Amino acid sequence: MRISKPHLRSTSIQCYLCLLLNSHFLTEAGIHVFILGCISAGLPKTEANWQDVILDLEKIDNLIQSIHMDTTLYTESDVHPSCKITAMKCFLLELGVISLESGSHPIKEAVENLIILANSDLSSKGNITETGCKECEELEEKSIKEFLQSFVHIVQMFINSS
């Protein structure tokens, strides 16, 4: 089982830096640098690792197949590049439905992880407004399998644009 905390930065480099700084600056300022460095190790990343998002989607797909979940979800099948953020937000909302209807702790954990990863990238893009895009409720309802395939497609759009 893959255990990961993608929403946290790697602490080892920052802690080593802090210890190095602290050993040379054993003053009040050195202690402040050490404390701030340790705090920054726990701050969220500003960019998503979209490959991890795809791995979580594959994990969710496998888990859903094992419990034979049959739900339909609003799915954007043909995302235009100028609407990818709007479409991603819809996909993330629909993930909540999967989490609620599954009743499975591993699915809920994978969904939560995926949402954290994707939202970290979306929040770094600020308040980008996309016009002419379909609202979630205007999208066609499709099977979970089709939903996950379309989700992977839009994630690949984010990978290719970075």
Side-chain angles (χ1 to χ4, degrees), residues 23 36 52 109 152:
S23 66
L36 290 174
D52 285 339
E109 185 178 295
V152 168

Side-chain angles (χ1 to χ4, degrees), residues 50 57 76 79-80 83-89 91 149-159:
W50 291 109
L57 284 170
E76 177 64 88
V79 180
H80 189 275
C83 290
K84 69 180 184 180
I85 293 174
T86 301
M88 179 59 78
K89 289 178 182 178
F91 277 110
Q149 288 170 349
S150 293
F151 203 149
V152 168
H153 175 72
I154 191 167
V155 169
Q156 289 170 340
M157 290 176 75
F158 278 85
I159 291 170

Side-chain angles (χ1 to χ4, degrees), residues 86-160:
T86 301
M88 179 59 78
K89 289 178 182 178
C90 289
F91 277 110
L92 294 175
L93 286 173
E94 290 298 284
L95 271 180
V97 173
I98 292 174
S99 181
L100 287 173
E101 292 194 13
S102 72
S104 165
H105 179 70
I107 292 175
K108 288 180 182 184
E109 185 178 295
V111 165
E112 180 181 310
N113 196 46
L114 192 153
I115 290 172
I116 290 169
L117 281 169
N119 276 327
S120 69
D121 188 71
L122 293 178
S123 65
S124 72
K125 297 195 181 316
N127 292 331
I128 295 174
T129 304
E130 298 173 323
T131 57
C133 304
K134 291 182 181 178
E135 296 295 322
C136 296
E137 296 77 21
E138 296 175 308
L139 301 173
E140 186 179 342
E141 289 190 44
K142 297 193 177 182
S143 71
I144 290 179
K145 188 81 173 161
E146 291 174 286
F147 171 82
L148 293 173
Q149 288 170 349
S150 293
F151 203 149
V152 168
H153 175 72
I154 191 167
V155 169
Q156 289 170 340
M157 290 176 75
F158 278 85
I159 291 170
N160 293 335

